[in-house]
Amino acid sequence: MTCATTGGVKIGPIEVWPPVVLAPMAGITNAPFRVLCREQGAGLFVCEMITTRGLVERNPKTMRMIRFDESERPRSIQLYGVDPVTVGRAARMIAEEDLADHIDLNFGCPVPKVTRRGGGSALPYKRNLLRRILREAVANAGPLPVTMKMRKGIDDDHLTYLDAGRIAVEEGVAAIALHARTAKQHYGGVADWEAIARLKEAVPEIPVLGNGDIWSADDALRMVARTGCDGVVVGRGCLGRPWLFKDLENAFNGSPERARPTLGEVAEAMARHAEGLTACFDIERYAVADFRKHVGWYLKGFTVGSELRRELATAESLDGLRAGLAKLEHDQPWPPNTDTPRGKSGERSKVLLPDGWLDDPWDCPIPDGDAESDISGG
Protein backbone atom coordinates (compact mmCIF):
# COMPACT_ATOMS: atom_id res chain seq x y z
CA MET A 1 0.00 0.00 0.00
CA THR A 2 1.35 3.42 -0.90
CA CYS A 3 0.11 6.93 -0.34
CA ALA A 4 1.32 10.34 -1.48
CA THR A 5 -0.16 13.37 0.26
CA THR A 6 0.63 17.05 -0.03
CA GLY A 7 0.82 19.40 2.91
CA GLY A 8 1.38 18.56 6.55
CA VAL A 9 -0.83 18.73 9.59
CA LYS A 10 -0.91 22.24 11.05
CA ILE A 11 -0.60 22.50 14.82
CA GLY A 12 -0.83 26.23 15.34
CA PRO A 13 2.20 27.70 13.53
CA ILE A 14 3.93 24.30 13.38
CA GLU A 15 3.56 22.29 10.18
CA VAL A 16 4.27 18.60 10.70
CA TRP A 17 5.21 16.45 7.73
CA PRO A 18 4.83 13.56 7.57
CA PRO A 19 1.73 13.86 9.79
CA VAL A 20 3.22 11.61 12.46
CA VAL A 21 3.59 12.21 16.21
CA LEU A 22 5.61 10.14 18.65
CA ALA A 23 3.35 9.56 21.65
CA PRO A 24 4.83 10.48 25.03
CA MET A 25 5.55 7.33 27.04
CA ALA A 26 6.91 7.37 30.59
CA GLY A 27 10.44 6.05 30.84
CA ILE A 28 10.61 5.67 27.05
CA THR A 29 10.43 8.94 25.11
CA ASN A 30 13.35 10.67 26.77
CA ALA A 31 15.86 12.60 24.65
CA PRO A 32 18.06 9.63 23.65
CA PHE A 33 15.12 7.66 22.25
CA ARG A 34 13.60 10.72 20.58
CA VAL A 35 16.91 11.41 18.84
CA LEU A 36 17.07 7.85 17.49
CA CYS A 37 13.51 8.15 16.16
CA ARG A 38 14.06 11.61 14.70
CA GLU A 39 17.14 10.43 12.82
CA GLN A 40 15.01 7.86 11.02
CA GLY A 41 12.17 10.09 9.87
CA ALA A 42 10.52 13.43 10.40
CA GLY A 43 7.47 14.20 12.54
CA LEU A 44 6.67 15.66 15.94
CA PHE A 45 8.42 13.96 18.85
CA VAL A 46 6.93 14.55 22.29
CA CYS A 47 8.86 14.17 25.54
CA GLU A 48 7.74 12.07 28.46
CA MET A 49 4.65 13.31 30.26
CA ILE A 50 5.47 15.59 33.18
CA THR A 51 3.24 16.80 35.98
CA THR A 52 2.31 20.45 36.17
CA ARG A 53 2.96 20.48 39.89
CA GLY A 54 6.45 19.04 39.40
CA LEU A 55 7.19 21.70 36.81
CA VAL A 56 5.99 24.75 38.72
CA GLU A 57 7.76 23.54 41.85
CA ARG A 58 10.91 23.00 39.75
CA ASN A 59 11.31 19.45 40.95
CA PRO A 60 14.85 18.37 39.96
CA LYS A 61 13.66 15.12 38.36
CA THR A 62 11.03 16.99 36.36
CA MET A 63 13.52 19.61 35.17
CA ARG A 64 15.83 16.83 33.94
CA MET A 65 12.96 15.23 32.04
CA ILE A 66 12.33 18.33 29.95
CA ARG A 67 15.87 18.58 28.63
CA PHE A 68 16.01 18.46 24.84
CA ASP A 69 18.87 17.55 22.55
CA GLU A 70 20.20 20.55 20.63
CA SER A 71 19.00 18.90 17.40
CA GLU A 72 15.37 18.83 18.51
CA ARG A 73 13.08 21.34 16.82
CA PRO A 74 10.23 21.80 17.40
CA ARG A 75 10.32 20.86 21.08
CA SER A 76 7.15 19.33 22.51
CA ILE A 77 6.21 18.87 26.17
CA GLN A 78 3.23 16.91 27.42
CA LEU A 79 1.73 18.19 30.65
CA TYR A 80 -0.47 16.29 33.04
CA GLY A 81 -2.44 18.22 35.62
CA VAL A 82 -5.81 18.34 37.38
CA ASP A 83 -5.88 21.86 38.85
CA PRO A 84 -6.69 24.61 36.32
CA VAL A 85 -4.58 27.21 38.13
CA THR A 86 -1.52 24.95 38.30
CA VAL A 87 -1.91 23.94 34.65
CA GLY A 88 -2.05 27.61 33.72
CA ARG A 89 1.06 28.40 35.74
CA ALA A 90 2.92 25.53 34.07
CA ALA A 91 1.89 26.68 30.59
CA ARG A 92 3.01 30.23 31.34
CA MET A 93 6.35 28.98 32.67
CA ILE A 94 6.98 26.98 29.47
CA ALA A 95 6.15 29.97 27.29
CA GLU A 96 8.01 32.63 29.27
CA GLU A 97 11.14 30.54 29.83
CA ASP A 98 11.23 29.13 26.28
CA LEU A 99 11.15 25.54 27.52
CA ALA A 100 9.28 24.21 24.48
CA ASP A 101 7.53 25.16 21.25
CA HIS A 102 4.35 23.13 21.78
CA ILE A 103 2.30 21.99 24.78
CA ASP A 104 0.20 18.82 24.81
CA LEU A 105 -2.20 18.00 27.64
CA ASN A 106 -2.74 14.42 28.80
CA PHE A 107 -6.31 13.29 29.44
CA GLY A 108 -5.73 9.69 28.45
CA CYS A 109 -3.91 7.98 31.32
CA PRO A 110 -5.93 4.89 32.40
CA VAL A 111 -3.74 3.87 35.35
CA PRO A 112 -5.93 3.05 38.39
CA LYS A 113 -3.91 5.15 40.86
CA VAL A 114 -4.68 8.16 38.62
CA THR A 115 -8.31 7.53 37.67
CA ARG A 116 -9.39 6.69 41.21
CA ARG A 117 -8.50 10.26 42.15
CA GLY A 118 -10.24 11.80 39.15
CA GLY A 119 -7.23 12.33 36.92
CA GLY A 120 -6.20 11.10 33.49
CA SER A 121 -8.93 9.51 31.40
CA ALA A 122 -11.47 10.01 34.20
CA LEU A 123 -11.22 13.79 34.10
CA PRO A 124 -13.03 14.60 30.80
CA TYR A 125 -16.23 13.17 32.31
CA LYS A 126 -16.34 16.39 34.34
CA ARG A 127 -16.99 18.68 31.38
CA ASN A 128 -16.68 21.97 33.21
CA LEU A 129 -13.42 20.99 34.89
CA LEU A 130 -12.02 20.01 31.50
CA ARG A 131 -13.10 23.37 30.09
CA ARG A 132 -11.44 25.29 32.92
CA ILE A 133 -8.16 23.42 32.47
CA LEU A 134 -8.10 23.96 28.71
CA ARG A 135 -9.00 27.64 29.10
CA GLU A 136 -6.17 28.25 31.57
CA ALA A 137 -3.65 26.38 29.44
CA VAL A 138 -4.49 28.23 26.23
CA ALA A 139 -4.69 31.62 27.93
CA ASN A 140 -1.27 31.22 29.54
CA ALA A 141 0.60 29.53 26.70
CA GLY A 142 0.93 32.77 24.74
CA PRO A 143 1.96 32.01 21.15
CA LEU A 144 2.54 28.31 21.81
CA PRO A 145 -0.07 25.91 20.40
CA VAL A 146 -1.87 23.75 22.95
CA THR A 147 -3.14 20.29 21.99
CA MET A 148 -4.77 17.50 23.95
CA LYS A 149 -4.69 13.70 23.95
CA MET A 150 -7.64 11.75 25.27
CA ARG A 151 -9.46 8.43 25.19
CA LYS A 152 -13.01 7.65 24.10
CA GLY A 153 -14.19 7.80 27.68
CA ILE A 154 -14.33 5.84 30.90
CA ASP A 155 -16.17 2.85 29.43
CA ASP A 156 -18.76 2.21 26.72
CA ASP A 157 -21.52 3.58 28.98
CA HIS A 158 -19.62 6.79 29.75
CA LEU A 159 -18.13 8.08 26.50
CA THR A 160 -16.75 11.60 26.62
CA TYR A 161 -14.70 12.17 23.48
CA LEU A 162 -17.28 14.02 21.38
CA ASP A 163 -18.19 16.47 24.15
CA ALA A 164 -14.50 16.90 24.98
CA GLY A 165 -13.74 17.59 21.32
CA ARG A 166 -16.31 20.37 21.09
CA ILE A 167 -15.08 21.91 24.35
CA ALA A 168 -11.52 21.82 23.02
CA VAL A 169 -12.52 23.68 19.86
CA GLU A 170 -14.43 26.29 21.86
CA GLU A 171 -11.44 26.88 24.14
CA GLY A 172 -8.87 27.36 21.37
CA VAL A 173 -7.08 24.01 21.40
CA ALA A 174 -5.00 23.61 18.22
CA ALA A 175 -5.43 19.86 17.63
CA ILE A 176 -6.79 16.72 19.30
CA ALA A 177 -5.36 13.22 19.46
CA LEU A 178 -7.74 10.36 20.23
CA HIS A 179 -6.59 7.00 21.52
CA ALA A 180 -9.55 5.01 20.30
CA ARG A 181 -9.98 2.93 23.44
CA THR A 182 -11.79 3.56 26.71
CA ALA A 183 -10.05 3.65 30.06
CA LYS A 184 -11.64 0.27 30.84
CA GLN A 185 -10.01 -1.24 27.75
CA HIS A 186 -6.65 -0.01 29.02
CA TYR A 187 -4.37 -1.35 26.24
CA GLY A 188 -6.41 -4.45 25.45
CA GLY A 189 -8.85 -5.30 22.71
CA VAL A 190 -8.98 -3.55 19.37
CA ALA A 191 -8.88 0.22 18.90
CA ASP A 192 -12.17 1.63 17.60
CA TRP A 193 -11.01 3.54 14.54
CA GLU A 194 -14.61 4.48 13.74
CA ALA A 195 -14.56 6.70 16.83
CA ILE A 196 -11.71 8.64 15.25
CA ALA A 197 -13.87 9.17 12.16
CA ARG A 198 -16.78 10.36 14.29
CA LEU A 199 -14.56 12.81 16.15
CA LYS A 200 -13.19 14.19 12.88
CA GLU A 201 -16.76 14.78 11.69
CA ALA A 202 -17.64 16.47 14.99
CA VAL A 203 -14.68 18.88 15.04
CA PRO A 204 -13.83 19.77 11.42
CA GLU A 205 -12.32 23.08 12.56
CA ILE A 206 -9.07 21.59 13.90
CA PRO A 207 -6.80 18.62 13.11
CA VAL A 208 -7.68 15.25 14.59
CA LEU A 209 -4.90 12.71 15.08
CA GLY A 210 -5.65 9.02 15.47
CA ASN A 211 -3.93 6.70 17.93
CA GLY A 212 -4.27 2.99 18.54
CA ASP A 213 -3.07 -0.21 16.86
CA ILE A 214 -0.52 1.34 14.50
CA TRP A 215 2.08 -1.41 14.32
CA SER A 216 3.33 -0.64 10.80
CA ALA A 217 3.43 2.21 8.32
CA ASP A 218 0.66 0.56 6.33
CA ASP A 219 -1.51 0.60 9.45
CA ALA A 220 -1.06 4.37 9.55
CA LEU A 221 -2.13 4.74 5.94
CA ARG A 222 -5.18 2.56 6.56
CA MET A 223 -6.16 4.63 9.59
CA VAL A 224 -6.00 7.88 7.63
CA ALA A 225 -7.90 6.41 4.68
CA ARG A 226 -10.60 4.83 6.87
CA THR A 227 -11.17 7.68 9.32
CA GLY A 228 -10.24 10.86 7.47
CA CYS A 229 -8.00 11.86 10.36
CA ASP A 230 -5.28 14.42 9.70
CA GLY A 231 -2.41 12.40 11.10
CA VAL A 232 -1.40 9.60 13.42
CA VAL A 233 0.10 9.22 16.87
CA VAL A 234 2.43 6.25 17.32
CA GLY A 235 3.13 4.78 20.73
CA ARG A 236 3.81 1.12 21.47
CA GLY A 237 4.44 0.31 17.79
CA CYS A 238 7.87 1.97 17.91
CA LEU A 239 9.10 0.26 21.08
CA GLY A 240 12.51 -1.14 20.20
CA ARG A 241 11.93 0.01 16.65
CA PRO A 242 12.90 3.64 16.01
CA TRP A 243 13.17 2.90 12.28
CA LEU A 244 9.37 2.71 12.14
CA PHE A 245 9.58 6.47 11.59
CA LYS A 246 11.56 5.87 8.40
CA ASP A 247 8.78 3.56 7.23
CA LEU A 248 6.16 6.16 8.11
CA GLU A 249 7.95 8.92 6.21
CA ASN A 250 8.35 6.67 3.18
CA ALA A 251 4.71 5.61 3.32
CA PHE A 252 3.29 9.11 3.52
CA ASN A 253 5.60 10.18 0.67
CA GLY A 254 4.28 7.35 -1.48
CA SER A 255 7.33 5.09 -1.30
CA PRO A 256 6.92 1.33 -0.74
CA GLU A 257 10.42 1.09 0.77
CA ARG A 258 10.50 -0.19 4.34
CA ALA A 259 13.41 -0.39 6.79
CA ARG A 260 14.56 -3.94 7.41
CA PRO A 261 17.70 -3.70 9.57
CA THR A 262 19.90 -6.70 10.22
CA LEU A 263 20.50 -7.84 13.77
CA GLY A 264 23.88 -6.12 13.60
CA GLU A 265 22.23 -2.81 12.78
CA VAL A 266 19.76 -3.35 15.59
CA ALA A 267 22.67 -4.04 17.95
CA GLU A 268 24.30 -0.78 16.88
CA ALA A 269 21.08 1.11 17.68
CA MET A 270 20.88 -0.61 21.06
CA ALA A 271 24.41 0.46 21.93
CA ARG A 272 23.76 4.05 20.88
CA HIS A 273 20.53 4.09 22.88
CA ALA A 274 22.27 2.91 26.04
CA GLU A 275 25.14 5.35 25.51
CA GLY A 276 22.65 8.18 25.05
CA LEU A 277 20.90 7.27 28.29
CA THR A 278 24.24 7.31 30.08
CA ALA A 279 24.92 10.82 28.85
CA CYS A 280 21.38 11.84 29.80
CA PHE A 281 21.32 10.35 33.30
CA ASP A 282 25.02 10.91 34.09
CA ILE A 283 25.17 7.62 36.02
CA GLU A 284 26.16 4.66 33.86
CA ARG A 285 24.81 1.89 36.05
CA TYR A 286 21.43 3.58 36.36
CA ALA A 287 21.27 4.24 32.61
CA VAL A 288 22.12 0.65 31.68
CA ALA A 289 19.53 -0.63 34.16
CA ASP A 290 16.96 1.70 32.61
CA PHE A 291 17.84 0.34 29.16
CA ARG A 292 17.09 -3.26 30.16
CA LYS A 293 13.36 -2.91 29.45
CA HIS A 294 14.16 -2.12 25.81
CA VAL A 295 16.14 -5.31 25.17
CA GLY A 296 13.17 -7.58 24.51
CA TRP A 297 11.55 -5.04 22.21
CA TYR A 298 14.68 -4.59 20.11
CA LEU A 299 15.23 -8.33 19.79
CA LYS A 300 11.61 -9.23 19.06
CA GLY A 301 11.42 -11.89 16.36
CA PHE A 302 15.16 -12.47 16.09
CA THR A 303 16.68 -15.83 16.94
CA VAL A 304 18.68 -15.17 20.10
CA GLY A 305 19.39 -17.78 22.74
CA SER A 306 17.87 -17.46 26.17
CA GLU A 307 21.25 -17.18 27.90
CA LEU A 308 22.35 -14.29 25.69
CA ARG A 309 19.01 -12.56 26.08
CA ARG A 310 19.41 -12.88 29.85
CA GLU A 311 22.96 -11.52 29.67
CA LEU A 312 21.80 -8.46 27.74
CA ALA A 313 18.79 -7.91 29.98
CA THR A 314 20.90 -8.00 33.15
CA ALA A 315 23.96 -6.04 32.00
CA GLU A 316 25.24 -3.60 34.61
CA SER A 317 27.67 -1.55 32.51
CA LEU A 318 28.10 -0.31 28.97
CA ASP A 319 31.08 -2.61 28.51
CA GLY A 320 29.00 -5.56 29.67
CA LEU A 321 26.19 -4.61 27.31
CA ARG A 322 28.59 -4.15 24.39
CA ALA A 323 30.17 -7.54 25.12
CA GLY A 324 26.76 -9.18 24.91
CA LEU A 325 25.83 -7.31 21.73
CA ALA A 326 29.07 -8.50 20.11
CA LYS A 327 27.88 -12.09 20.55
CA LEU A 328 24.77 -11.57 18.44
CA GLU A 329 24.58 -13.01 14.92
CA HIS A 330 25.03 -9.67 13.17
CA ASP A 331 24.17 -10.95 9.68
CA GLN A 332 20.80 -12.28 10.77
CA PRO A 333 18.12 -10.62 8.62
CA TRP A 334 15.09 -8.76 9.85
CA PRO A 335 12.50 -11.36 10.91
CA PRO A 336 9.11 -11.60 9.21
CA ASN A 337 5.82 -11.00 11.01
CA THR A 338 7.13 -8.48 13.52
CA ASP A 339 4.51 -5.80 12.78
CA THR A 340 2.53 -7.02 15.75
CA PRO A 341 1.58 -5.60 19.18
CA ARG A 342 4.41 -4.54 21.47
CA GLY A 343 4.41 -3.48 25.08
CA LYS A 344 1.67 -3.71 27.66
CA SER A 345 -1.81 -4.96 26.84
CA GLY A 346 -4.88 -6.27 28.64
CA GLU A 347 -8.23 -4.89 29.74
CA ARG A 348 -9.43 -3.79 33.20
CA SER A 349 -12.40 -5.38 34.91
CA LYS A 350 -13.49 -1.89 35.93
CA VAL A 351 -12.20 1.67 36.15
CA LEU A 352 -11.47 2.93 39.64
CA LEU A 353 -13.07 6.34 40.23
CA PRO A 354 -13.66 8.69 43.17
CA ASP A 355 -16.89 8.11 45.08
CA GLY A 356 -19.78 9.74 43.27
CA TRP A 357 -17.67 10.72 40.26
CA LEU A 358 -20.33 9.62 37.77
CA ASP A 359 -23.24 11.31 39.56
CA ASP A 360 -23.00 14.63 37.74
CA PRO A 361 -20.92 15.20 34.60
CA TRP A 362 -21.19 18.98 34.98
CA ASP A 363 -20.00 19.64 38.52
CA CYS A 364 -16.44 20.87 38.79
CA PRO A 365 -14.52 19.26 41.65
CA ILE A 366 -10.76 19.71 41.55
CA PRO A 367 -9.06 16.39 42.37
CA ASP A 368 -6.54 16.47 45.19
CA GLY A 369 -2.81 16.64 44.56
CA ASP A 370 -2.44 12.87 44.76
CA ALA A 371 -4.16 12.66 41.38
CA GLU A 372 -0.95 13.95 39.84
CA SER A 373 1.24 10.96 39.11
CA ASP A 374 4.39 10.62 37.05
CA ILE A 375 2.98 7.44 35.49
CA SER A 376 2.21 8.22 31.87
CA GLY A 377 -0.19 6.57 29.53
CA GLY A 378 -2.97 7.26 27.14
Side-chain angles (χ1 to χ4, degrees), residues 48-65:
E48 301 173 81
M49 181 200 79
I50 64 168
T51 67
T52 54
R53 189 174 63 179
L55 183 63
V56 300
E57 293 177 357
R58 298 185 184 273
N59 176 280
K61 177 182 175 182
T62 300
M63 301 310 289
R64 286 195 300 271
M65 289 171 66

Side-chain angles (χ1 to χ4, degrees), residues 127-376:
R127 275 71 166 175
N128 287 332
L129 177 58
L130 175 67
R131 184 182 294 279
R132 285 185 59 194
I133 289 174
L134 296 179
R135 182 172 295 176
E136 288 292 328
V138 172
N140 284 279
L144 304 185
V146 175
T147 61
M148 64 181 284
K149 185 165 184 254
M150 61 182 179
R151 285 184 173 239
K152 289 171 55 182
I154 292 171
D155 54 35
D156 287 340
D157 295 324
H158 301 91
L159 299 177
T160 56
Y161 70 104
L162 295 178
D163 283 351
R166 289 310 314 166
I167 292 169
V169 170
E170 293 163 6
E171 296 302 328
V173 169
I176 304 171
L178 176 65
H179 183 162
R181 286 182 170 88
T182 62
K184 183 177 183 295
Q185 282 183 276
H186 205 64
Y187 295 95
V190 177
D192 177 15
W193 288 5
E194 297 309 310
I196 299 170
R198 289 191 289 272
L199 180 61
K200 180 58 188 174
E201 292 173 358
V203 292
E205 302 95 327
I206 62 175
V208 170
L209 307 174
N211 176 223
D213 294 350
I214 295 178
W215 310 113
S216 70
D218 288 344
D219 289 338
L221 297 186
R222 280 191 287 271
M223 176 184 280
V224 171
R226 187 182 303 176
T227 69
C229 67
D230 301 281
V232 299
V233 178
V234 178
R236 294 174 295 152
C238 69
L239 294 176
R241 194 165 53 148
W243 36 85
L244 177 58
F245 290 93
K246 178 180 291 184
D247 289 354
L248 288 161
E249 182 166 339
N250 286 338
F252 279 104
N253 284 323
S255 169
E257 182 180 352
R258 300 292 181 265
R260 294 294 180 261
T262 64
L263 184 51
E265 292 168 323
V266 171
E268 181 181 349
M270 293 172 73
R272 286 193 57 213
H273 192 165
E275 290 161 2
L277 289 172
T278 300
C280 181
F281 295 145
D282 299 325
I283 301 174
E284 179 178 326
R285 183 165 183 164
Y286 176 80
V288 174
D290 184 80
F291 177 75
R292 291 172 184 168
K293 60 178 173 281
H294 296 272
V295 171
W297 297 325
Y298 273 112
L299 298 181
K300 182 174 181 177
F302 286 103
T303 301
V304 180
S306 59
E307 284 192 20
L308 182 51
R309 284 180 180 269
R310 190 178 307 110
E311 178 181 340
L312 291 167
T314 57
E316 296 185 355
S317 67
L318 285 176
D319 285 344
L321 179 65
R322 294 187 188 108
L325 294 173
K327 298 176 185 178
L328 294 170
E329 182 187 347
H330 284 206
D331 292 337
Q332 189 177 147
W334 178 257
N337 304 318
T338 55
D339 294 340
T340 54
R342 293 164 175 253
K344 53 193 170 185
S345 61
E347 188 165 324
R348 301 289 184 183
S349 59
K350 66 177 181 178
V351 181
L352 299 181
L353 299 167
D355 290 341
W357 190 255
L358 298 178
D359 292 348
D360 183 355
W362 299 105
D363 67 350
C364 193
I366 297 176
D368 65 40
D370 289 339
E372 288 213 6
S373 168
D374 57 3
I375 296 176
S376 180

